[in-house]
Structure formats: structure tokens, C-alpha cells
Amino acid sequence: MLKRVRSWWKKEELQVSAELSQDNIPKHIAIIMDGNGRWAKSLGLPRVMGHQNGMKAVKRATIAADDLGVQYLTMYAFSTENWKRPKEEVDFLMKLPGEFIVSELDELIEKNVQIRLMGHKDVLPPHTIEPLEKAIRDTANNTGLVLTFALNYGGRDEITEGVKEVAQAVQNGTMRIEDITSESFERVLQSSGMPDPDLLIRTSGELRLSNFMLWQLAYTELWFTPIFWPEFGKQHMIEAVLEYQRRTRRYGGLK
């Protein structure tokens, strides 16, 4: 299995588009992986088959990002709102991160990928969180692509918890009100230490953020595609980056 995946990784490296400018690769790409269930329904398959095939797309996206020279890749794996789904589907979704890590960890380590996690871990079942925590420990010293899974994550919750932490610091006297700035607030967010995403990709044709990285996406370029997440491949990553390179980022100014 490992040998097959390794050869696939090398094969993919040969297919990077010549149109891409290596001088303007997004440093950080965030992805809302949407459409697993609808993909399965369109083929007459159970929804869980969509989620299972979606994990294969996670692998393809990670390989593509690494090939292109992206430094940070953040994947929206499970939102705080996804608990509203049927229990059987939630239970299946909770198995997938552990299965992915168990099958891919050796290759991720070999490729110098560092695993990180955003979201509230306290309510995640042991079979979900324990393999992820092991992967975080085992890859902590890696210096290549930083692959972050947003699991049981919500942007509003993240900001609310950050406000509470800052308010507590002011109340304790360890921070003054005048010390509260955008930069100091970013340090209490779960994305602390990472740059804001340069590019957000969302699949399935939906045109919304769905409570994902609301603070961090303030000046991110957005790219939406109608394809469902299980269909996502390297060609789509290249298409998104090419579109990113056609745009001029002004950050509110004139250029």
C-alpha cells in the first residue's frame, strides 16, 4: 500500500501545469470540503460512501498542495453544526479521521508533513482524537506542508472563546485594554502561528463560508466550484491557483 501511494505521489509531481507562476503560489489554502452526500446520491449510493470517497480527495488535495509548494493547507472536516446530522452518519464521520491517519501517517511523515488540529477536542470520541493526537506528536518536528484538520470547529465559537480569553486577561490584570489589537487577538485564536489563508476553495457550488475561519478569511480570495468534493483532484487545485494568480489583492488600498 505504501509503495503504491509513494509511486502515485511521484507521478502526480510530474503533472504540475506550466501555466502556473511559481512566484505567486498561495502560502495558505483553506478548503471547505462539500458535497459528499450529494455525490453519493447522484450515483445511487449511500451517503457514507460519499464521505469515504471524500477521504480519497483529501489525499489528492494534500499531494497537490505539496507539489505546488503550498506551505499550509487547512481542511474543514467537521463543523460544530454537523452534530445535527443523523447519528449513524455522525458515527461514520467520526471514524474517518482515524482511519485516514492510520493508513497515511507513514507517508505523511516521509513527505515531511506536519499535522495540526483546530476545533474543540473534548467531545470527540477516543477513536477519533487519539490517532490525530499521535499524528500531531509524531509530525511535530516536520518542516514541510502544515496540514490542519478543522474538526468540531466553528468560527463563531473560536472568536467567542478568544474574546473570553482576552477579557479574562484584562480582568486578571495581565493585559490592558489598550493592548488589545488585531495582532494580539490573533494570538488567542486556534490558528495562532499560521498566516491567514490566501485562497479559500469550496466545492459543490455553494457560495457561503458556513462558519469557517470567519476572522482569518477577511481578505482571502474565494474560489467556488460546482464539482462535489469526492471529484476533487489535482487539476481542480491547479485551476483554483491559476484563478488566484489572475487576481490583484488590494487589501482595501489601490494597486
Side-chain angles (χ1 to χ4, degrees):
M1 173 65 181
L2 182 59
K3 184 176 180 181
R4 180 179 63 81
V5 172
R6 186 181 298 118
S7 63
W8 175 26
W9 197 303
K10 290 180 179 178
K11 182 180 178 182
E12 288 289 314
E13 289 179 347
L14 302 176
Q15 300 174 3
V16 177
S17 173
E19 299 176 64
L20 287 170
S21 168
Q22 291 302 313
D23 296 329
N24 189 22
I25 297 295
K27 188 173 185 179
H28 185 176
I29 294 179
I31 303 180
I32 299 176
M33 305 177 288
D34 194 19
N36 290 341
R38 279 168 285 169
W39 175 84
K41 183 179 180 180
S42 71
L43 297 175
L45 300 171
R47 285 179 58 84
V48 294
M49 292 299 295
H51 297 309
Q52 198 164 46
N53 280 274
M55 294 308 294
K56 297 177 183 178
V58 169
K59 181 193 296 185
R60 293 195 297 269
T62 302
I63 293 171
D66 186 66
D67 285 351
L68 293 173
V70 174
Q71 298 178 39
Y72 298 85
L73 180 65
T74 301
M75 317 282 270
Y76 202 10
F78 190 89
S79 75
T80 50
E81 290 74 35
N82 286 154
W83 295 105
K84 301 173 185 177
R85 296 186 177 188
K87 183 178 183 302
E88 294 78 9
E89 183 173 347
V90 170
D91 289 345
F92 186 85
L93 287 168
M94 287 295 106
K95 295 177 183 177
L96 290 178
E99 291 178 358
F100 176 81
I101 289 298
V102 168
S103 63
E104 306 301 333
L105 183 56
D106 287 346
E107 180 71 3
L108 292 169
I109 290 172
E110 181 181 323
K111 296 300 293 185
N112 200 27
V113 174
Q114 182 184 128
I115 304 295
R116 295 186 187 176
L117 183 65
M118 293 170 56
H120 295 289
K121 301 186 293 184
D122 52 343
V123 298
L124 296 175
H127 63 265
T128 302
I129 193 62
E130 289 175 2
L132 284 168
E133 289 183 331
K134 181 181 185 302
I136 291 169
R137 292 193 302 270
D138 290 352
T139 64
N141 295 322
N142 288 357
T143 58
L145 174 71
V146 176
L147 175 60
T148 302
F149 293 103
L151 192 62
N152 192 28
Y153 170 87
R156 287 182 173 180
D157 281 354
E158 179 185 31
I159 293 171
T160 300
E161 292 302 316
V163 169
K164 290 178 180 178
E165 185 172 337
V166 170
Q168 187 67 57
V170 172
Q171 188 176 48
N172 294 341
T174 57
M175 176 180 274
R176 301 175 302 167
I177 290 178
E178 53 267 33
D179 293 331
I180 302 173
T181 63
S182 293
E183 291 76 19
S184 65
F185 186 69
E186 286 172 355
R187 288 195 289 271
V188 304
L189 296 177
Q190 296 175 30
S191 59
S192 178
M194 292 194 295
D196 290 341
D198 299 296
L199 172 65
L200 171 76
I201 296 171
R202 179 167 187 157
T203 56
S204 87
E206 302 293 352
L207 307 178
R208 55 179 177 268
L209 299 181
S210 296
N211 199 21
F212 183 48
M213 301 187 82
L214 300 179
W215 175 279
Q216 298 88 340
L217 294 176
Y219 283 102
T220 300
E221 296 296 323
L222 312 180
W223 188 78
F224 301 102
T225 176
I227 69 161
F228 296 133
W229 177 245
E231 301 170 304
F232 192 88
K234 183 161 189 174
Q235 71 275 20
H236 303 107
M237 181 72 82
I238 291 173
E239 185 180 349
V241 172
L242 282 171
E243 175 58 30
Y244 169 84
Q245 294 184 346
R246 295 186 189 105
R247 300 181 186 180
T248 301
R249 305 183 73 189
R250 298 183 177 86
Y251 298 97
L254 298 176
K255 289 186 180 179

